[in-house]
Amino acid sequence: MLVLGIESSCDETGIALYDTNAGLLTHTLYTQIELHAQYGGVVPELASRDHIRKLSPLIKQSLAQANVSFTQLNGIAYTAGPGLMGALLAGASVARSLAYALNIPAIGVHHMEGHLLAPMLEPSPPAFPFVCLLVSGGHSMIVRVDGIGQYTLLGDTLDDAAGEAFDKTAKLLDLGYPGGPNVSNLALKGVATRYHFPRPMVDRPGLDMSFSGLKTFTLNTWQAAVKAGDDSEQTKADICRAFELAVADTLAVKCKRALEQVGFNRLVVAGGVSANREIRAKLNALMLKRGGEVFYPRLEFCTDNGAMIAYAGAQRLLAGQHNNLSFATTPRWSLEDLPAV
Ligand code: KG4
Ligand code: ZN
């Protein structure tokens, strides 16, 4: 089965072709980072307009790259939520219209299920069941995964998502948008021992997380340094290092606790923040110590992409699932509401 995948939930237009026999044929990504950078964050209306401009040309380009014609497609998968309403509608309307014209099924994919299944595109994919740490710009969740569509939410963030905390930290240190990679790169030059940031909620039982306090701690630390006349790049780097270590430690504590709670020794980490070096190092060390396994998507599939949507949609289409002609988008949508495959 040959499936076209369309991702347009936020500021990236991702297109991919996934064949359930041959694997991923092609994938392409157009990022709107430059468009939004001048505003310090995503402007939803501009995002929608840019998706509309890019979707058609990118779909045609992907088909040409894979040497595939429209009539060879067997199904279309598009991100139906969660995400920005206008951005989702842009992708959903193109997907639905195309499926109608070609008389093939279309399926609305949960964006976070796409992230969660992204490691399945790697040469050695994880086997079920596993614990998944899903850390992106909009979500931070710990999920028990027993199979596709068999998700139990074990922990969630009470306020900011991990990626959001990186982005806000970058903004207050004037490091530009998107913040995660910039904070992480500057942290490489930071001295780990200069500041110690709190590890939020690790001393409390449970698997929920909270990152907004860390952001405030960053702000206070930076303002105190500026007041003392030290607004150097080194100070920013030291703050980034302390911040990153605090996030990485916190996530490692929560993952360890989740694995112990459900009795698994297999961890999957996905979503934009799973690209982070320090977080990967901490989680690798944790799983090495436990004699368990840890899986990540390749770096380009940590952040938003069409390949994960094509993959997730293909699994559901293969099982006979699809949506009817009305293209409902679901800006708010729980993973636990998905049907099993
Ligand atoms: O999954 P994603 O592309 O979009 C959402 O679904 O939200 O995640 C984007 C988030 C942003 O907050 C970005 O700052 C963060 O992932 N991110 C990182 C890194 N690369 C991306 N955070 C920390 N370290 C990174 N290397
Ligand atoms: Zn995402």
Side-chain angles (χ1 to χ4, degrees):
M1 177 181 255
L2 180 60
V3 177
L4 171 70
I6 300 177
E7 154 62 30
S8 72
S9 66
C10 190
D11 57 349
E12 251 124 21
T13 318
I15 305 292
L17 284 163
Y18 180 81
D19 184 297
T20 48
N21 293 318
L24 190 63
L25 302 187
T26 187
H27 65 95
T28 175
L29 190 79
Y30 171 78
T31 174
Q32 306 177 349
I33 283 177
E34 257 179 59
L35 176 71
H36 301 291
Q38 55 184 312
Y39 303 101
V42 180
V43 183
E45 178 60 22
L46 295 182
S48 316
R49 290 186 208 171
D50 225 36
H51 284 305
I52 291 168
R53 259 195 297 273
K54 286 291 168 191
L55 279 161
S56 262
L58 284 179
I59 291 171
K60 285 185 194 146
Q61 181 192 317
S62 299
L63 290 169
Q65 261 164 14
N67 203 16
V68 162
S69 68
F70 277 112
T71 53
Q72 284 171 274
L73 295 175
N74 304 115
I76 302 185
Y78 60 93
T79 305
L84 304 171
M85 184 58 128
L88 291 168
L89 277 172
S93 48
V94 168
R96 282 269 30 142
S97 316
L98 201 52
Y100 181 70
L102 297 170
N103 197 22
I104 55 175
I107 186 146
V109 172
H110 192 297
H111 181 79
M112 298 312 290
E113 177 175 65
H115 278 302
L116 189 152
L117 296 176
M120 298 297 178
L121 290 160
E122 298 310 311
S124 311
F128 297 110
F130 52 78
V131 164
C132 181
L133 171 69
L134 267 177
V135 270
S136 71
H139 296 85
S140 293
M141 296 186 265
I142 300 179
V143 188
R144 174 189 167 130
V145 181
D146 289 287
I148 297 180
Q150 297 175 51
Y151 310 127
T152 313
L153 191 61
L154 302 173
D156 206 345
T157 178
L158 302 181
D159 39 60
D160 293 352
E164 196 177 353
F166 270 94
D167 294 338
K168 287 179 176 170
T169 291
K171 200 166 185 177
L172 67 91
L173 293 176
D174 206 16
L175 299 180
Y177 161 88
N182 295 344
V183 168
S184 184
N185 287 335
L186 193 55
L188 280 177
K189 298 182 200 144
V191 178
T193 46
R194 177 158 171 209
Y195 297 112
H196 181 82
F197 280 33
R199 274 62 176 153
M201 295 184 65
V202 294
D203 51 354
R204 270 189 253 170
L207 296 171
D208 285 337
M209 296 163 270
S210 159
F211 294 105
S212 75
L214 260 186
K215 173 194 63 192
T216 311
F217 201 89
T218 307
L219 177 66
N220 293 341
T221 308
W222 174 237
Q223 283 180 341
V226 172
K227 209 168 161 194
D230 177 9
D231 59 353
S232 64
E233 274 302 289
Q234 187 57 50
T235 293
K236 281 190 185 180
D238 296 343
I239 289 176
C240 286
R241 183 102 180 96
F243 168 83
E244 190 178 56
L245 280 168
V247 175
D249 269 344
T250 305
L251 294 176
V253 168
K254 296 288 173 176
C255 285
K256 178 170 179 278
R257 204 176 280 176
L259 291 163
E260 281 164 2
Q261 184 176 313
V262 297
F264 297 168
N265 216 2
R266 194 176 296 123
L267 180 69
V268 166
V269 193
V273 182
S274 69
N276 185 274
R277 252 179 257 109
E278 187 61 45
I279 292 170
R280 285 190 177 211
K282 282 271 179 335
L283 296 175
N284 289 344
L286 168 73
M287 296 316 287
L288 188 69
K289 199 167 163 201
R290 291 177 57 85
E293 299 173 284
V294 59
F295 298 83
Y296 309 90
R298 72 190 79 164
L299 287 180
E300 64 179 330
F301 293 164
C302 288
T303 41
D304 292 348
N305 64 86
M308 65 185 196
I309 301 303
Y311 178 84
Q315 305 314 308
R316 293 191 172 278
L317 288 167
L318 207 55
Q321 297 181 12
H322 60 88
N323 295 122
N324 61 23
L325 276 180
S326 63
F327 54 88
T329 53
T330 320
R332 287 178 174 275
W333 191 3
S334 166
L335 265 179
E336 289 184 314
D337 292 341
L338 293 176
V341 168

